[in-house]
Amino acid sequence: DGGITQSPKYLFRKEGQNVTLSCEQNLNHDAMYWYRQDPGQGLRLIYYSQIVNDFQKGDIAEGYSVSREKKESFPLTVTSAQKNPTAFYLCASSMIGGWGQGEQYFGPGTRLTVT
Amino acid sequence: AQSVTQPDIHITVSEGASLELRCNYSYGATPYLFWYVQSPGQGLQLLLKYFSGDTLVQGIKGFEAEFKRSQSSFNLRKPSVHWSDAAEYFCAVASFGNEKLTFGTGTRLTIIP
């Protein structure tokens, strides 16, 4: 089955530690995205990538970093510089252009708790 | 810059009743509009989308939405809700040639027996 996997489902870290969230897709999509979701704030874009070895900052990139070494993978690192990292993180992917534009497929999410 | 407003944070509807969730967008040209649904603790699933053509679009799970350019709206409707429709619903907008979506803040739907 094609889809997006995110691991782990729940993640707990101590303040000051970096943590990496995994996102893998087998949909052969060119574009991948990371969103942060907080109650009452909808989804906010952290980073996105349209091609391997290239990515762009979204609206709230500070304190986060990404890499795109393979088409299928787009890991997100939450660094110790992120002031309020506790949130629900969603990864998505999409085709580029054509009828599929904007139709993003989402993973099940990772809930990160930092104490 | 494009933006999306969902004015209703929470809506409660009786099972079997009709539903309308509101969405207003701000964008200069013709937008690409989407409705997504999210069950608790899960990712989002696309319900329907509008690119062009017929302003009434049909989606999955019996949902439909109507694009009204004059009102900058894209409201989601369902004639008769089921308990399984309880979830959070997000409206989103994209522009031509731009893959990024801008999401509204969501409307949480509660279904009562």
Side-chain angles (χ1 to χ4, degrees), chain B residues 24-94:
Chain B
N24 293 96
Y25 67 90
S26 173
Y27 180 63
T30 299
Y32 295 169
L33 294 160
F34 306 82
W35 275 100
Y36 283 83
V37 61
Q38 183 182 33
S39 297
Q42 300 298 317
L44 278 69
Q45 181 184 22
L46 180 68
L47 283 176
L48 47 80
K49 61 186 178 185
Y50 170 78
F51 276 16
S52 64
D54 193 348
T55 57
L56 184 65
V57 294
Q58 303 296 322
I60 63 172
K61 306 185 180 185
F63 285 93
E64 66 178 27
E66 187 171 12
F67 170 59
K68 292 185 177 180
R69 183 188 302 275
S70 62
Q71 298 177 19
S72 297
S73 69
F74 188 56
N75 294 351
L76 182 71
R77 302 194 294 248
K78 187 170 185 178
S80 176
V81 298
H82 185 262
W83 64 265
S84 60
D85 294 324
E88 187 142 23
Y89 292 80
F90 292 92
C91 183
V93 63

Side-chain angles (χ1 to χ4, degrees), chain A residues 18-32:
Chain A
N18 291 354
V19 59
T20 297
L21 282 59
S22 167
C23 177
E24 303 277 335
Q25 56 100 357
N26 61 4
L27 300 167
N28 198 33
H29 286 167
D30 289 306
M32 297 188 73

Side-chain angles (χ1 to χ4, degrees), chain A residues 22-92:
Chain A
S22 167
C23 177
E24 303 277 335
Q25 56 100 357
N26 61 4
L27 300 167
N28 198 33
H29 286 167
D30 289 306
M32 297 188 73
Y33 313 81
W34 273 106
Y35 294 92
R36 171 182 172 135
Q37 186 176 24
D38 297 283
Q41 296 196 47
L43 278 72
R44 293 182 290 169
L45 183 65
I46 303 172
Y47 269 99
Y48 66 104
S49 168
Q50 295 187 314
I51 193 170
V52 173
N53 292 323
D54 188 45
F55 45 83
Q56 287 76 41
K57 293 181 179 180
D59 301 318
I60 56 164
E62 184 175 352
Y64 300 98
S65 66
V66 294
S67 63
R68 187 89 185 274
E69 298 177 0
K70 298 186 300 182
K71 185 176 183 178
E72 304 78 22
S73 178
F74 192 41
L76 173 74
T77 297
V78 184
T79 74
S80 56
Q82 168 50 234
K83 296 177 182 176
N84 186 18
T86 294
F88 189 52
Y89 291 89
L90 287 161
C91 179

